[in-house]
Amino acid sequence: MKSLSTSVLFVALLLSFSCKQKAKTESTPEPTPLEVKVKGAEVAYASDSTNLKGYIAFDENNKDKRPGILIVHEWWGHNNYVRERADMLAQLGYTALAVDMYGDGKQADHPDDAGKFAMSVMSNLPEAKARFNAAVELLKQHESVDTEKLAAIGYCFGGSVALTMANSGADLDAVAAFHSGVSLPVMPGKDLKAQVLVCNGADDPFISAESITAFTSAMDSIGAKYQYISYPGVKHSFTSKEADANGEKFQLPLEYNAEADQKSWASLQELLDQVF
């Protein structure tokens, strides 16, 4: 009888403890995560010889350190398009800096000027590195950035810049280029550290088959981690919704493609998820 009473008492105590634990759990629910609140701000910075104007975006409700991502503009210059991409990356949980490779936030209104601006950068590699590195240092100084986790992406001219900087040994974990030339001032070699994604249109007349072969062959020769995606029927500037208007205005083979835009953005997210 004594043994039975002891057993009943033990069960009663166990049930009482379980109820208390359940009540405690129900009374202290997990805190609800704060909604993403993207904050964007213009920033001024400089290389030794050039004043630069950028734009930084991040989720101000997130107090954790996170990867920092540089975004390099198209040949038109630092405009609203590259800032929109910075906001999109901030929405995904990164801190993004839309950089200025021309100086003073300079923009081109005509392809002739855009070509001159782009050539002035790509033909002066030391200055291009200085401007890019100034942006890297600015991004690393931001309170939200984990300085050990950095990436760079770029569009058109900006893609070529990002790839060139990576090939030159920039300390980047990942690089992505969209509708970007791959015949570069510095081709892939032993200094490349980043995992690379290139998304181009198969019908982009600005990107020759020979240049693609040379690029992928160089990447293969060093055992680089990379993906080269070619979208059938897609032309140049396929991620920009202003491409059609610019193409018509200047008689250029530019065309927005919603499907390729969405697919390439998804591929970028996959790359960043893998690397970070």
Side-chain angles (χ1 to χ4, degrees):
M1 181 64 70
K2 183 177 180 181
S3 176
L4 179 59
S5 298
T6 302
S7 298
V8 171
L9 179 61
F10 176 76
V11 171
L13 289 172
L14 183 62
L15 288 172
S16 175
F17 178 76
S18 298
C19 290
K20 289 179 180 178
Q21 286 296 103
K22 182 178 180 181
K24 183 178 179 182
T25 301
E26 290 176 349
S27 65
T28 55
E30 290 294 322
T32 302
L34 293 173
E35 292 184 1
V36 174
K37 185 179 179 182
V38 173
K39 181 178 181 179
E42 293 185 356
V43 287
Y45 62 111
S47 66
D48 288 340
S49 62
T50 310
N51 291 322
L52 304 158
K53 294 180 179 179
Y55 173 85
I56 196 161
F58 63 102
D59 173 14
E60 63 179 347
N61 279 343
N62 181 359
K63 303 307 178 184
D64 296 331
K65 296 287 187 179
R66 71 213 74 167
I69 303 177
L70 298 144
I71 313 173
V72 191
H73 53 77
E74 297 180 283
W75 69 341
W76 302 112
H78 179 112
N79 54 20
N80 286 334
Y81 174 77
V82 74
R83 295 186 175 200
E84 289 170 4
R85 291 292 177 178
D87 289 340
M88 290 170 68
L89 284 168
Q91 189 73 32
L92 293 175
Y94 303 100
T95 293
L97 174 63
V99 310
D100 173 15
M101 290 300 294
Y102 292 163
D104 294 317
K106 185 166 55 180
Q107 297 180 35
D109 294 322
H110 192 280
D112 289 347
D113 293 327
K116 291 175 183 176
F117 293 164
M119 184 57 65
S120 70
V121 173
M122 299 306 279
S123 63
N124 187 349
L125 197 56
E127 178 59 21
K129 287 182 179 180
R131 295 178 187 181
F132 186 85
N133 289 337
V136 171
E137 291 307 310
L138 178 67
L139 182 60
K140 289 169 70 174
Q141 290 169 15
H142 196 270
E143 60 185 7
S144 68
V145 173
D146 181 343
T147 59
E148 297 299 316
K149 297 179 179 180
L150 299 175
I153 73 172
Y155 297 85
C156 183
F157 156 81
S160 296
V161 170
L163 291 171
T164 299
M165 294 301 108
N167 293 340
S168 299
D171 193 14
L172 301 167
D173 299 296
V175 166
F178 305 87
H179 37 90
S180 165
V182 289
S183 180
L184 306 165
V186 181
M187 291 298 282
K190 61 180 177 59
D191 292 329
L192 176 65
K193 303 180 182 72
Q195 188 167 327
V196 174
L197 168 70
V198 179
C199 298
N200 281 337
D203 289 4
D204 187 335
F206 299 116
I207 304 169
S208 68
E210 293 78 13
S211 69
I212 297 170
T213 299
F215 175 78
T216 56
S217 296
M219 294 290 276
D220 290 336
S221 71
I222 59 171
K225 292 182 179 179
Y226 79 100
Q227 186 178 18
Y228 187 100
I229 302 175
S230 183
Y231 302 107
V234 174
K235 297 180 182 178
H236 191 68
S237 202
F238 63 83
T239 68
S240 173
K241 293 180 180 178
E242 295 183 0
D244 292 348
N246 285 330
E248 183 177 352
K249 182 178 180 179
F250 299 115
Q251 298 300 298
L252 291 171
L254 313 179
E255 184 177 273
Y256 176 67
N257 187 292
E259 182 180 5
D261 181 19
Q262 293 165 8
K263 285 184 175 180
S264 61
W265 189 251
S267 293
L268 171 64
Q269 293 179 62
E270 290 173 7
L271 170 67
L272 297 177
D273 287 344
Q274 290 171 11
V275 171
F276 297 129

